[in-house]
Amino acid sequence: MLEDCNMFHWLQAKRDDEHRVLIIENRLIRFSSTEYTLLCSLLKGQIVPDEVLLRALFQNEQSCTENRLLDKYMSRIRSKLKVHNIDIHRIHRCGYILLSIN
């Protein structure tokens, strides 16, 4: 089911959680299950701490200290959003946030 994505108020955007897609300006962007889980955390429009993203990535496993894997997924998501002038900005030792590139 499509829902408005208010995070991108400067774009016409909708999201479909069931199919793990984001539709921006009538262009479909598909995400893997893991990518979409991380993206949903970022769609709240706030800085998302590394710990929160790592827990989502490793689904509450004890060994959720692997930042390199998190960086890899963020890079994948970033590349899919970049064509729409959306960036995932890394805030050193804190977390990530979605921003407009403009």
Side-chain angles (χ1 to χ4, degrees):
M1 176 185 225
L2 288 176
E3 297 178 27
D4 284 331
C5 189
N6 297 328
M7 171 63 197
F8 309 115
H9 59 274
W10 65 93
L11 296 170
Q12 180 185 5
K14 295 190 179 286
R15 63 187 249 194
D16 183 340
D17 294 340
E18 182 180 348
H19 295 101
R20 298 183 313 269
V21 297
L22 198 57
I23 301 169
I24 300 176
E25 301 293 329
N26 295 320
R27 297 176 84 191
L28 183 76
I29 307 170
R30 294 186 187 278
F31 296 92
S32 71
S33 178
T34 303
E35 290 169 349
Y36 195 77
T37 298
L38 295 171
L39 176 64
C40 286
S41 296
L42 294 168
L43 288 175
K44 296 174 181 151
Q46 302 172 9
I47 297 170
V48 182
D50 291 339
E51 298 79 29
V52 171
L53 294 168
L54 286 167
R55 267 183 290 183
L57 182 61
F58 290 102
Q59 299 176 4
N60 295 324
E61 290 180 17
Q62 295 296 332
S63 61
C64 63
T65 59
E66 186 54 62
N67 285 14
R68 295 173 100 193
L69 187 57
L70 178 60
D71 291 341
K72 180 179 176 181
Y73 278 107
M74 288 301 172
S75 178
R76 288 180 186 174
I77 299 167
R78 185 180 287 120
S79 68
K80 292 179 181 185
L81 296 176
K82 191 172 188 174
V83 297
H84 298 286
N85 294 323
I86 300 168
D87 188 28
I88 299 174
H89 184 74
R90 172 78 175 128
I91 299 171
H92 185 66
R93 294 187 181 191
C94 187
Y96 289 88
I97 189 168
L98 281 178
L99 297 173
S100 171
I101 294 176
N102 295 339

